Amino acid sequence: MKIGVFDSGVGGLSVANAIETALPEHEIIYVTDVEHVPYGTKPAVEILGYVEPILRGLAGQGCEIIVIACNTVSTTLITELRAAIPVPLIAMEPMVKPAAALTKSGVIAVCATPTTLRSARYAWLKETYASGLKIIEPDCSNWSYMIEHKQIDEKQIETSVESAIADGADVIVLACTHYHWIEKEIQQIAAHRAQVIQPEQAVIVELKRQIDAHSSSQAS
Ligand code: DGL
């Protein structure tokens, strides 16, 4: 099966690589939007104009499922995109629910783009799963830019992670796929003090479920 994977930039590549490793029998078509990355500082309405034609293109190329490997797009536009695109879309969103189940201190840190942090979906996740918790949202507004341009400011990342841990966070949620490329650094900084979580494996589980459902619907 052809599976489309989309992100604004290099974040989704880490997701596409993980899917390729887990499901080598499928063909992965990975597309980005080099012209408009980063998305995370742009309003949702502007992003919709960029994403919709790209996803239509993937569906037109024969992708039977598309993974939106972008929290910014998933948290702001998934309803509009599901209505517009004629194939199933798998979304990625901040792991607030798993973080709430893991924390012992009652404090979690969510690293995400400004657009994700402003989204109604993220507000809903917090209200539904983490209403009794303290949530720290470090300023990551330039992280996807610096990762995209390979200009990683390690000091800035360290300061943000140390500050979240000093405020009591024992779970750090990576809620932007670009940050998967600095996951090891964040884990090293947080070592033995906070767990770092991100949704790649959960997405693969959901993708397998949808592939199986698709195959059985075609067989019947
Ligand atoms: N990688 C994307 C995300 O998961 C978007 C990053 C960006 O373009 O700012 O949110």
Side-chain angles (χ1 to χ4, degrees):
M1 179 189 293
K2 274 190 196 169
I3 297 165
V5 179
F6 170 75
D7 182 35
S8 58
V10 296
L13 184 57
S14 123
V15 180
N17 289 344
I19 294 172
E20 257 168 358
T21 305
L23 302 166
E25 66 279 26
H26 297 285
E27 182 186 347
I28 309 299
I29 302 183
Y30 176 56
V31 288
T32 62
D33 185 359
V34 267
E35 212 180 315
H36 303 109
V37 64
Y39 279 1
T41 46
K42 296 182 171 67
V45 60
E46 180 183 341
I47 300 169
L48 181 62
Y50 305 141
V51 180
E52 199 181 319
I54 295 174
L55 299 190
R56 278 192 194 287
L58 280 172
Q61 283 180 65
C63 292
E64 291 176 80
I65 298 177
I66 299 172
V67 178
I68 311 284
C70 178
N71 291 260
T72 305
V73 171
S74 299
T75 53
T76 54
L77 294 167
I78 197 66
T79 308
E80 291 86 338
L81 291 170
R82 284 200 170 122
I85 307 298
V87 299
L89 304 180
I90 294 180
M92 297 185 80
E93 60 183 20
M95 298 177 83
V96 173
K97 186 180 178 186
L102 284 171
T103 183
K104 293 194 169 56
S105 65
V107 184
I108 65 173
V110 177
C111 299
T113 68
T115 303
T116 295
L117 294 178
R118 275 198 312 269
S119 67
R121 178 69 185 173
Y122 176 61
W124 181 86
L125 288 170
K126 286 196 292 187
E127 200 182 296
T128 307
Y129 300 115
S131 59
L133 303 180
K134 179 174 169 190
I135 303 188
I136 297 163
E137 293 158 357
D139 178 5
C140 305
S141 47
N142 66 343
W143 285 20
S144 34
Y145 181 91
M146 68 184 187
I147 292 163
E148 194 71 31
H149 294 276
K150 298 192 172 61
Q151 297 167 358
I152 295 168
D153 180 346
E154 284 169 14
K155 193 74 216 154
Q156 189 195 344
I157 294 164
E158 188 180 344
T159 305
S160 300
V161 173
E162 286 294 354
S163 155
I165 292 172
D167 284 345
D170 62 352
V171 182
I172 299 173
V173 179
L174 301 188
C176 168
T177 51
H178 275 68
Y179 311 163
H180 298 186
W181 294 112
I182 53 169
E183 184 177 356
K184 283 202 179 72
E185 287 82 345
I186 295 175
Q187 272 169 349
Q188 272 162 15
I189 299 162
H192 311 301
R193 297 180 295 163
Q195 279 186 73
V196 181
I197 62 171
Q198 52 101 332
E200 258 166 30
Q201 290 312 314
V203 164
I204 290 168
V205 169
E206 175 58 14
L207 179 57
K208 280 185 182 155
R209 194 190 67 74
Q210 295 219 14
I211 291 170
D212 289 346
H214 186 272
S215 310
S216 32
S217 77
Q218 298 240 307
S220 60

